[in-house]
């Protein structure tokens, strides 16, 4: 288990280890909870992913510049 806990917020851009087939590995967070809703920044595809899986595959997180 990861020692540090990542804080995910709606609007943040998360970079995952595994890129989407479209080539982008950055996703915008649309919803947080037990499951996250993510939108691919490359093609706009939306997916529901469990929080555990997101945490396991997070390579980086960029907080939204403005709220
Ligand atoms: Zn995509």
């Amino acid at each position: 288990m990861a020692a540090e806990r990542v804080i995910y917020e709606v609007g943040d851009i998360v970079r995952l280890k595994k890129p989407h087939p479209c080539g982008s590995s950055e996703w915008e967070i649309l919803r947080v909870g037990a499951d996250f809703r993510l939108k691919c920044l490359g093609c706009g595809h939306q997916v529901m992913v469990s929080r555990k899986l997101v945490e396991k595959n997070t390579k980086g997180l960029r907080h939204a510049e403005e709220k």
Side-chain angles (χ1 to χ4, degrees):
M1 287 297 157
E4 56 187 276
R5 190 164 172 274
V6 181
I7 308 296
Y8 298 93
E9 288 181 88
V10 171
D12 288 354
I13 305 300
V14 65
R15 179 182 290 269
L16 299 181
K17 285 173 186 162
K18 209 165 120 183
H20 197 237
C22 76
S24 174
S25 55
E26 292 193 319
W27 299 78
E28 181 183 350
I29 299 174
L30 299 182
R31 206 190 87 177
V32 294
D35 290 307
F36 284 18
R37 179 174 286 277
L38 303 175
K39 186 175 88 177
C40 177
L41 288 187
C43 65
H45 183 72
Q46 292 187 17
V47 291
M48 293 289 289
V49 191
S50 72
R51 183 186 183 97
K52 265 199 173 106
L53 202 65
V54 174
E55 286 177 338
K56 211 179 88 179
N57 288 292
T58 295
K59 217 169 79 179
L61 185 69
R62 196 165 78 229
H63 292 290
E65 308 268 332
E66 304 197 38
K67 294 271 172 186

